[in-house]
Amino acid sequence: HPEQFKDSPLGRIPRGWEVEAGDDVCLRIEVGIVIRPTQYYVPRGIPMLRSANVREGGIELSDLKFMSERDHGLMAKSAVTPGDLVTVRTGYPGTTAVIPLTLTTANCVDIIISRPGPRVLSDFLATWVNSDIGKGQVLRVQGGLAQQHFNVGEMKKLLIAVPEIGEQQRILAGVTAADKRLRHERDEADKLRTLKQGLMDDLLTGRVRVPISPLQPGSAAGITGGQE
């Protein structure tokens, strides 16, 4: 049904969708602490998220750094709350995750912070930025060099195809179901690879003997007259 689609800067999209820039759909886009962040590190306190903690599947809470509550209050500009997005600037630029409800208080080091407005869901926006279309825009900005910086200004100009909220929810439900099935298939594949490796090891080391039965007539040995 071509009449249901329209041309856009992102190509053909449904007529009910709009193309918006990141700055149009977000209430704020900032960058985390970039000047000597190590000066704030303390053994325990408020979590400080870095690029290493941002994964497409969510926030990785291992290997966290911390800052004091006092410094967190002073550095409120780089603080995040549940529902905010954090995006990697260097290394794997564009990789984005949503701050979960369980992480009620945190600060950020050298990553981009975005707070979606009412017209876009946090999970939808993160899924868009992590998609091939979103990452393609990031890499074009970087000239294909993944070690360069992805900056706040570039996040503000990032183009996003925005459907209405109900359709965003339906898209997220489909993506979640596909991700769940993919994880299951990967787990099953890992189990089969482990089983195969174990069986091969048993056979090649001789821990398990393979019984040799007489070859049936018509086999290669039978044709040549040999038989064990």
Side-chain angles (χ1 to χ4, degrees):
H1 301 281
E3 72 281 358
Q4 297 180 9
F5 294 84
K6 64 183 180 181
D7 293 326
S8 81
L10 293 169
R12 300 280 286 172
I13 62 172
R15 286 195 174 278
W17 295 27
E18 298 297 335
V19 174
E20 307 276 4
D23 203 27
D24 295 327
V25 297
C26 291
L27 302 176
R28 63 174 288 219
I29 299 178
E30 308 280 357
V31 67
I33 301 167
V34 294
I35 300 175
R36 295 176 53 222
T38 55
Q39 67 182 305
Y40 300 105
Y41 290 179
V42 295
R44 63 180 64 87
I46 303 299
M48 297 180 71
L49 302 176
R50 302 166 296 148
S51 294
N53 303 114
V54 181
R55 299 285 186 271
E56 288 189 9
I59 298 296
E60 173 57 58
L61 294 178
S62 63
D63 193 27
L64 278 174
K65 300 297 183 183
F66 301 92
M67 72 190 311
S68 69
E69 290 192 21
R70 175 182 175 277
D71 287 337
H72 175 65
L74 294 173
M75 305 299 291
K77 186 178 179 180
S78 54
V80 291
T81 57
D84 287 348
L85 272 62
V86 285
T87 300
V88 174
R89 298 178 66 217
T90 307
Y92 297 95
T95 301
T96 298
V98 178
I99 302 297
L101 294 174
T102 54
L103 192 61
T104 55
T105 307
N107 215 293
C108 293
V109 174
D110 199 23
I111 50 181
I112 296 172
I113 305 158
S114 305
R115 179 165 297 166
R119 293 190 294 119
V120 64
L121 300 174
S122 297
D123 287 325
F124 179 85
L125 183 55
T127 300
W128 175 267
V129 180
N130 286 325
S131 72
D132 289 345
I133 300 174
K135 286 287 184 66
Q137 294 182 70
V138 173
L139 292 177
R140 280 197 297 275
V141 168
Q142 302 303 307
L145 301 176
Q147 290 301 320
Q148 295 183 4
H149 282 300
F150 180 61
N151 295 317
V152 166
E154 292 151 0
M155 184 68 179
K156 288 181 177 181
K157 292 185 290 186
L158 191 78
L159 296 180
I160 304 146
V162 183
E164 53 90 18
I165 291 293
E167 189 162 4
Q168 292 181 38
Q169 293 170 333
R170 291 190 291 274
I171 290 170
L172 286 171
V175 170
T176 300
D179 284 344
K180 182 178 179 180
R181 179 172 179 178
L182 185 58
R183 286 194 298 270
H184 174 74
E185 296 290 347
R186 285 174 174 165
D187 290 343
E188 290 299 310
D190 288 342
K191 291 176 185 177
L192 290 173
R193 277 192 289 268
T194 301
L195 177 60
K196 177 184 176 181
Q197 184 61 43
L199 291 172
M200 293 292 292
D201 190 56
D202 286 343
L203 293 173
L204 296 174
T205 58
R207 282 195 295 269
V208 174
R209 304 286 295 180
V210 180
I212 301 176
S213 38
L215 295 176
Q216 297 297 319
S219 66
I223 292 172
T224 60
Q227 187 175 29
E228 289 185 311

